[in-house]
């Protein structure tokens, strides 16, 4: 199971998702004097240390991808279902990006006199999407090999 390429792709995507869940995804920097406001997937931490849970849908969406990813890893006998689970995770991460853009840019967090800086961790879900696409491609290739071997018999 672990030696298959798609399993390795799925494991790396899971690790990247967990890293993204735990690190800040954006920072609001005041234009004048003040303290930065960090945006995590679960909360917004302002300069005084107060937490605001407006952005918790980001956390929920990414957290949903983790058990689906594990389910895909352990369903290696059912390759068609495994490929569908990869597509579900891709759609969930695209939904995360829509919610992320809403919360950071379109007024979900409209902070006046502050400049938005995207963190590198906001790129990790995109890398996970690429890994899910690569895993799905490998799963489909394995399914084609199995079908070809069944036809030969």
């Amino acid at each position: 199971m672990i030696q298959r390429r798609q399993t390795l792709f799925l494991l790396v995507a899971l690790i990247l998702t967990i890293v993204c869940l735990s690190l800040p995804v954006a920072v609001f920097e005041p234009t004048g004097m003040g303290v930065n406001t960090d945006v995590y997937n679960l909360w917004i931490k302002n300069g005084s240390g107060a937490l605001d849970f407006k952005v918790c849908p980001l956390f929920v969406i990414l957290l949903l991808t983790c058990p689906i990813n594990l389910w895909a890893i352990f369903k290696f006998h059912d390759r068609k279902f495994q490929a569908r689970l990869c597509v579900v995770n891709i759609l969930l991460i695209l939904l995360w990006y829509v919610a992320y853009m809403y919360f950071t840019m379109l007024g979900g967090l409209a902070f006046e006199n502050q400049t938005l800086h995207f963190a590198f961790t906001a790129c990790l879900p995109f890398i996970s999407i690429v890994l899910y696409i690569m895993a799905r491609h490998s799963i489909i290739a394995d399914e084609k090999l199995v079908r070809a071997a069944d036809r030969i018999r």
Side-chain angles (χ1 to χ4, degrees), residues 5 75 86 95 103 111 132 136 146 148:
R5 286 182 307 182
K75 290 297 276 184
C86 289
L95 178 66
F103 284 119
F111 291 114
Y132 284 126
R136 186 174 182 278
V146 168

Side-chain angles (χ1 to χ4, degrees), residues 3-143:
Q3 71 273 14
R4 298 171 64 216
R5 286 182 307 182
Q6 56 266 32
T7 304
L8 295 175
F9 294 148
L10 291 171
L11 279 174
V12 172
L14 178 67
I15 292 168
L16 291 177
T17 302
I18 292 171
V19 168
C20 184
L21 282 170
S22 58
L23 295 176
V25 291
V27 175
F28 285 100
E29 182 182 344
T31 54
M33 292 181 60
V35 182
N36 291 348
T37 301
D38 295 329
V39 179
Y40 291 82
N41 279 300
L42 184 56
W43 60 64
I44 302 166
K45 185 176 181 182
N46 61 14
S48 64
L51 301 177
D52 186 8
F53 291 91
K54 287 180 189 175
V55 293
C56 68
L58 294 175
F59 184 80
V60 171
I61 293 169
L62 267 189
L63 191 63
L64 281 174
T65 64
C66 292
I68 294 172
N69 187 338
L70 287 174
W71 196 13
I73 290 172
F74 290 109
K75 290 297 276 184
F76 60 91
H77 291 295
D78 189 2
R79 285 173 291 280
K80 289 180 184 178
F81 185 65
Q82 194 179 25
R84 284 189 213 125
L85 289 176
C86 289
V87 171
V88 168
N89 273 344
I90 291 170
L91 293 176
L92 281 172
I93 292 176
L94 289 175
L95 178 66
W96 181 85
Y97 272 112
V98 169
Y100 179 71
M101 287 300 140
Y102 169 74
F103 284 119
T104 56
M105 299 182 83
L106 298 178
L109 300 178
F111 291 114
E112 292 182 14
N113 300 325
Q114 291 192 354
T115 306
L116 172 66
H117 298 285
F118 296 107
F120 173 73
T121 53
C123 297
L124 296 180
F126 178 75
I127 297 169
S128 293
I129 288 176
V130 172
L131 289 168
Y132 284 126
I133 291 170
M134 291 169 56
R136 186 174 182 278
H137 179 72
S138 297
I139 292 165
I140 292 171
D142 278 359
E143 181 64 22

